[in-house]
Amino acid sequence: MASNPPGQGFQKNRVAILAELDKEKRRLIQNQSMNNPGASIPLSRPALNKDFRDHAEQQHIAAQQKAALQHAHAHSSGFFITQDSSFGNLILPVLPRLEPE
């Protein structure tokens, strides 16, 4: 007659308890997702964060444009304006049009 080692009964009991806990956990997660369909959806608002970031970026660019314009007026005899540029320039020089003589 083969005898069982003393720890084998404890190990089987432990495995059975862990399997039952895992099954209960899955059932609770499934019930929670059925009762609250939006519970698993993250609560972050990427559109709101993007709008805030865009606004902060616009304010930063406006401050840079103002500083560049003040520097250009202080150190140059030309005329400059702030305008969006396809090349990333903060200010653009303005050349006066002269009437032909």
Side-chain angles (χ1 to χ4, degrees), residues 55-69 82 90:
H55 180 68
E57 186 176 320
Q58 289 295 332
Q59 285 182 335
H60 181 68
I61 290 173
Q64 285 181 323
Q65 283 179 333
K66 183 178 178 183
L69 189 62
T82 58
L90 297 175

Side-chain angles (χ1 to χ4, degrees), residues 26-97:
R26 289 175 194 231
R27 185 184 63 80
L28 288 173
I29 290 173
Q30 185 179 10
N31 285 344
Q32 182 182 7
S33 66
M34 289 178 145
N35 291 337
N36 299 326
S40 62
I41 298 173
L43 297 178
S44 66
R45 293 183 170 180
L48 181 62
N49 291 339
K50 185 180 182 302
D51 291 342
F52 179 75
R53 185 177 48 230
D54 289 346
H55 180 68
E57 186 176 320
Q58 289 295 332
Q59 285 182 335
H60 181 68
I61 290 173
Q64 285 181 323
Q65 283 179 333
K66 183 178 178 183
L69 189 62
Q70 288 175 346
H71 180 79
H73 283 155
H75 295 83
S76 174
S77 60
F79 296 98
F80 299 88
I81 59 167
T82 58
Q83 183 174 340
D84 290 337
S85 166
S86 3
F87 300 104
N89 299 322
L90 297 175
I91 59 173
L92 299 174
V94 177
L95 302 173
R97 293 184 183 174

Side-chain angles (χ1 to χ4, degrees), residues 11-37:
Q11 189 70 8
K12 284 183 181 180
N13 191 21
R14 182 176 173 190
V15 170
I17 290 172
L18 288 174
E20 187 178 333
L21 285 173
D22 188 48
K23 187 168 57 170
E24 182 71 17
K25 178 181 171 186
R26 289 175 194 231
R27 185 184 63 80
L28 288 173
I29 290 173
Q30 185 179 10
N31 285 344
Q32 182 182 7
S33 66
M34 289 178 145
N35 291 337
N36 299 326

